[in-house]
């Protein structure tokens, strides 16, 4: 049975949600599932905006056929060729022999790689600022390369002042009937998933996101239709402001995130003591994470959120504890910058990881490292406790004074 909602009088959401999938991209936990959004524009000509993942294709086709109600599908607009959005292209080509694919040259290169060759007469190649008339609706196309694949484009409906934004402005999380942002409590129920989605899926590409935001700022936009998560038709500034902050790699909040690796509890104890000292100094926004048990996508999202970071690790085989090193690798790979960081090292006979962590963080743009690193030898004692006192003062002063 079909399950659709009208976005406007002539645009229908024809997507679906998947609550069975455990890992998005077989990598990121999605305990609340994920939605795959697709949209149909009904006019003199009909147009489908992107497809869905193969896992929800049955629901998608029921939705699409119900929405078309016997009429042909004239165009498939391909904003993004990632398989969770393009999986149904092959079947659509068979079901609708007169349907044309609309995309850019990079799009069709990827279509060939995924689905083999498509007759050129079925391809409509568009460039920056090109338009396509469906009747009352005129679609205008803008390239958005590396947000977050090189072929990405977005489609603007001039009549509705509506932006089909591909993966931009999306979120993890299945839809529960409430399709629109004005039907949900975004900050309470969706912000953490939206942040984790951005940080891990799009986060490496801050400069291209900034370029896209600048390009699109000239458009009058009333509605944003992403490929995952809620449709934005209420207060668009909520998501636009977040994307601007995240893509500039500026901290979302003046807050502390303390990350520790601990084999037998001694490094953990040092971090807990530091957290209590910060709280006693009046700091309220403190989060503490064991990097061995917290998924790295959550850790990365917290680094996007917080201005002040503490990394605590035991020395392991003369290097950084593997789970902590994995986090440091992701921080560098995503190009994170503009944070204040402090380091705590531990080692029973040769604590050496602190210098290695400082070196890695110091190579990142805009990272301010509070030195010296605190050294714990085996377990916390009076000398290292005194060093923690000084570090707590440094961190508190930095938080309060910029």
């Amino acid at each position: 049975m079909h399950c659709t909602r009208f976005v406007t009088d002539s645009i229908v959401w024809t997507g679906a949600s998947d609550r069975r999938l455990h890992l998005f991209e077989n990598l990121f936990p999605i305990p609340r599932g994920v939605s795959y959004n697709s949209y149909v524009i009904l006019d003199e000509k009909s147009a489908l905006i992107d497809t869905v993942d193969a896992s929800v294709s049955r629901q998608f086709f029921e939705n699409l056929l119900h929405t078309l109600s016997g009429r042909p599908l004239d165009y498939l607009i391909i904003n993004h060729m990632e398989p969770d959005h393009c999986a149904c292209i092959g079947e659509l080509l068979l079901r609708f022999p007169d349907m044309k694919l609309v995309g850019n040259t990079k799009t069709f290169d990827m279509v060939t790689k995924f689905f083999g060759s498509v007759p050129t007469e079925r391809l409509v190649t568009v460039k920056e600022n090109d338009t396509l008339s469906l009747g009352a609706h005129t679609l205008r196309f803008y390239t958005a390369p590396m947000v977050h694949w090189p072929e990405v484009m977005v489609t603007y409906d001039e009549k509705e002042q509506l932006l089909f934004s591909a993966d931009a402005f999306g979120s993890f999380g299945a839809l529960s009937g409430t399709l629109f942002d004005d039907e949900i409590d975004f900050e309470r129920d969706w912000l953490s998933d939206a942040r984790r989605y951005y940080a891990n899926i799009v986060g490496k590409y801050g400069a291209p996101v900034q370029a896209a935001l600048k390009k699109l700022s000239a458009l009058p936009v009333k509605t944003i239709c992403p490929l995952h998560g809620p449709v934005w038709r209420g207060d668009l500034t909520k998501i636009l402001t977040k994307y601007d902050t995240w893509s500039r790699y500026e901290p979302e909040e003046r807050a502390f995130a303390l990350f520790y690796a601990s084999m037998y509890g001694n490094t953990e104890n040092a971090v807990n003591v530091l957290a209590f000292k910060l709280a006693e100094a009046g700091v309220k926004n403190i989060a503490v994470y064991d990097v061995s048990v917290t998924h790295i996508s959550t850790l990365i999202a917290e680094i996007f959120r917080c201005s002040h970071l503490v990394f605590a690790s035991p020395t392991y085989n003369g290097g950084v504890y593997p789970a902590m090193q994995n986090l440091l690798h992701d921080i560098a790979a995503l190009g994170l910058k503009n944070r204040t960081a402090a380091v705590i090292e531990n080692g029973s006979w040769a604590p050496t990881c602190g210098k290695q962590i400082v070196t890695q963080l110091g190579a990142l743009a805009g990272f301010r490292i509070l030195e010296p690193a605190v050294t714990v030898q085996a377990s916390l004692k009076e000398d290292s406790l005194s060093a923690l006192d000084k570090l707590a003062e440094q961190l508190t002063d930095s938080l309060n004074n910029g």
Side-chain angles (χ1 to χ4, degrees), residues 143-148 168-169 198 202-218 239-250 304 337-338:
T143 58
M146 300 317 300
V147 186
H148 58 118
F169 313 118
Y198 175 89
V202 191
K204 180 179 177 65
Y205 304 106
V209 171
Q210 279 288 306
L213 289 173
K214 182 178 181 180
K215 180 187 297 188
L216 299 174
S217 65
I239 193 66
L240 291 172
T241 299
K242 295 297 183 186
Y243 261 64
D244 181 51
T245 299
W246 295 333
S247 60
R248 287 187 290 108
Y249 300 100
E250 296 296 335
F304 269 83
K337 59 185 73 172
N338 304 327

Side-chain angles (χ1 to χ4, degrees), residues 182-371:
D182 54 16
E183 299 174 332
I184 61 175
D185 188 326
F186 175 69
E187 285 80 4
R188 185 190 68 194
D189 297 331
W190 284 88
L191 176 56
S192 62
D193 268 332
R195 181 190 300 115
R196 191 164 63 91
Y197 174 86
Y198 175 89
N200 292 277
I201 304 300
V202 191
K204 180 179 177 65
Y205 304 106
V209 171
Q210 279 288 306
L213 289 173
K214 182 178 181 180
K215 180 187 297 188
L216 299 174
S217 65
L219 299 176
V221 178
K222 293 182 178 177
T223 307
I224 297 175
C225 292
L227 289 177
H228 298 289
V231 170
W232 289 88
R233 67 178 183 185
D235 186 0
L236 272 59
T237 60
K238 287 183 180 179
I239 193 66
L240 291 172
T241 299
K242 295 297 183 186
Y243 261 64
D244 181 51
T245 299
W246 295 333
S247 60
R248 287 187 290 108
Y249 300 100
E250 296 296 335
E252 187 181 338
E253 300 176 19
R254 294 193 65 76
F256 281 104
L258 283 59
F259 306 101
Y260 73 86
S262 191
M263 298 169 64
Y264 301 109
N266 291 305
T267 308
E268 178 185 14
N269 175 245
V271 169
N272 285 332
V273 170
L274 176 61
F276 271 70
K277 289 181 180 297
L278 292 172
E280 288 172 348
V283 179
K284 293 182 172 58
N285 202 342
I286 306 169
V288 178
Y289 296 96
D290 182 342
V291 300
S292 295
V293 299
T294 307
H295 194 270
I296 195 167
S297 65
T298 297
L299 306 179
I300 289 295
E302 283 293 82
I303 294 171
F304 269 83
R305 181 179 70 88
C306 296
S307 59
H308 287 66
L309 315 171
V310 175
F311 300 90
S313 174
T315 300
Y316 195 85
N317 287 335
V320 182
Y321 191 78
M324 181 63 73
Q325 184 58 61
N326 192 33
L327 174 59
L328 295 171
H329 174 271
D330 257 29
I331 292 170
L334 293 172
L336 275 153
K337 59 185 73 172
N338 304 327
R339 297 297 188 272
T340 297
V343 175
I344 301 172
E345 66 173 354
N346 197 347
S348 298
W349 67 90
T352 60
C353 69
K355 183 177 180 179
Q356 297 173 55
I357 296 173
V358 168
T359 298
Q360 292 180 59
L361 294 176
L364 304 175
F367 259 70
R368 176 192 174 204
I369 314 301
L370 300 180
E371 297 192 83

Side-chain angles (χ1 to χ4, degrees), residues 7 13 24 41 88 135 175 274 296 313 362:
V7 177
W13 177 86
F24 185 79
I41 304 173
C88 301
L175 298 170
L274 176 61
I296 195 167
S313 174

